[in-house]
């Protein structure tokens, strides 16, 4: 990583106290839904963020969510924890993704679609994996925000645009310009925030699932398929779905459940 990139990672503040409280409750075996609800409701901004996201039609809830208690009950602790971490991102980052030809709104839309696809894919079939995959899918591309800031400061914003124009692999352009790709930066930031090591590991290997083993390989492949489905600007195309299905076939993942989850996201 370049000096500028390392400086920008180190400049990210710790997670807000309210978010740290929710994270402690989530990791506590004795932590309850009510404990999480009370911790969230202490922070009005966090509460508003969670209700906004929970009411997105992408999560398949048929009625309006009016309270944190209702959101936790309907979506579960794993999804709500991902929402909480996203709120911390909104509070900690000034998002400028112009080197990627993206707006802040497109970036947020892509993150929400990735999370929605993840929840609808795994919430009923593999809820244990959702604890890792929900925050990973929602925030895996956070490193792109830090890389973007680095490229602007180093006068290299055109590197990504050139790769996009040539339909080249963006990760190669990121590495060339600042010595790391998006997943590396996100994993490093999560490590600084002392988040679950398994989340960090799965994010780090989502570009190359073969590099890890057993269940971690499966989750890294699932995250890879999710990222392939949803393009960086939030679009889902026939080509992106085909790429994801190729990964699903390669790693023997559950195609039927993926297709059902994808239908919900596409029709929301």
């Amino acid at each position: 990583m370049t000096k500028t990139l390392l400086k920008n990672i180190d400049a990210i503040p710790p997670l807000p106290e309210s978010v740290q409280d929710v994270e402690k409750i989530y990791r506590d075996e004795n932590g309850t839904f009510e404990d999480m609800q009370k911790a969230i409701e202490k922070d009005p901004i966090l509460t508003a963020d969670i209700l906004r996201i929970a009411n997105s039609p992408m999560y398949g809830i048929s009625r309006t969510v009016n309270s944190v208690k209702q959101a936790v009950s309907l979506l579960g602790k794993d999804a709500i924890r991902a929402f909480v971490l996203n709120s911390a991102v909104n509070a900690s980052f000034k998002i400028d993704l112009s080197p990627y030809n993206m707006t802040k709104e497109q970036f947020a839309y892509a993150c929400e679609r990735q999370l929605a696809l993840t929840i609808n894919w795994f919430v009923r079939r593999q809820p244990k994996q959702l604890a890792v995959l929900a925050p990973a899918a929602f925030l895996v591309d956070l490193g792109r925000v830090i890389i973007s800031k680095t490229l602007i400061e180093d006068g290299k914003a055109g590197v990504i645009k050139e790769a996009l124009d040539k339909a080249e692999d963006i990760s190669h352009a990121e590495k060339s310009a600042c010595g790391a790709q998006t997943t590396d930066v996100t994993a490093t930031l999560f490590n600084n925030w002392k988040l679950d090591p398994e989340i960090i590991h799965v994010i780090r290997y989502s570009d190359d699932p073969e590099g890890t083993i057993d269940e971690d390989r499966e989750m890294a492949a699932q995250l890879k398929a999710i990222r392939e489905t949803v393009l960086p600007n939030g679009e889902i195309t026939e080509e992106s779905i085909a790429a994801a299905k190729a990964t699903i076939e390669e790693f023997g993942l559950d195609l039927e459940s993926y297709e059902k989850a994808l239908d919900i996201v596409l029709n929301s």
Side-chain angles (χ1 to χ4, degrees), residues 39-56:
I40 292 168
E41 289 176 340
K42 290 178 181 178
D43 187 331
I45 295 176
L46 181 56
T47 298
D49 276 349
I50 285 179
L51 292 181
R52 176 187 61 80
I53 299 171
N55 278 295
S56 168

Side-chain angles (χ1 to χ4, degrees), residues 134-180:
F138 208 9
L139 298 172
V140 62
D141 291 317
L142 181 57
R144 193 164 285 152
V145 178
I146 305 173
I147 288 177
S148 183
K149 176 178 171 61
T150 301
L151 294 175
I152 292 169
E153 291 178 357
D154 286 346
K156 296 180 179 179
V159 171
I160 301 297
K161 291 179 180 178
E162 184 179 349
L164 289 169
D165 289 341
K166 294 180 179 179
E168 294 176 347
D169 188 340
I170 294 175
S171 64
H172 291 162
E174 292 171 338
K175 283 184 176 180
S176 173
C178 57

Side-chain angles (χ1 to χ4, degrees), residues 113-133:
R113 286 191 111 180
Q114 287 181 176
L115 177 60
L117 179 59
T118 305
I119 290 175
N120 287 301
W121 191 0
F122 299 111
V123 70
R124 292 176 183 85
R125 297 186 63 86
Q126 294 174 298
K128 289 183 179 179
Q129 292 191 352
L130 193 62
V132 173
L133 288 170

Side-chain angles (χ1 to χ4, degrees), residues 59 78-79 81-83 85-86 89 106-122 129-144 182-183 186 190 195 198-200 202-204 206 219-232 265:
Y59 300 109
D78 297 320
R81 178 224 198 171
F83 295 169
L85 290 171
N86 180 70
V89 169
Q106 287 174 320
F107 176 75
Y109 183 50
C111 293
E112 290 192 16
R113 286 191 111 180
Q114 287 181 176
L115 177 60
L117 179 59
T118 305
I119 290 175
N120 287 301
W121 191 0
F122 299 111
Q129 292 191 352
L130 193 62
V132 173
L133 288 170
F138 208 9
L139 298 172
V140 62
D141 291 317
L142 181 57
R144 193 164 285 152
T182 291
T183 48
T186 303
F190 277 23
L195 294 181
E198 192 166 17
I199 296 174
I200 297 168
V202 167
I203 286 175
R204 211 178 277 282
S206 61
M219 287 193 288
Q222 288 162 339
L223 182 56
K224 183 175 189 284
I226 290 161
R227 295 183 74 215
E228 287 171 332
T229 303
V230 182
L231 297 176
V265 174

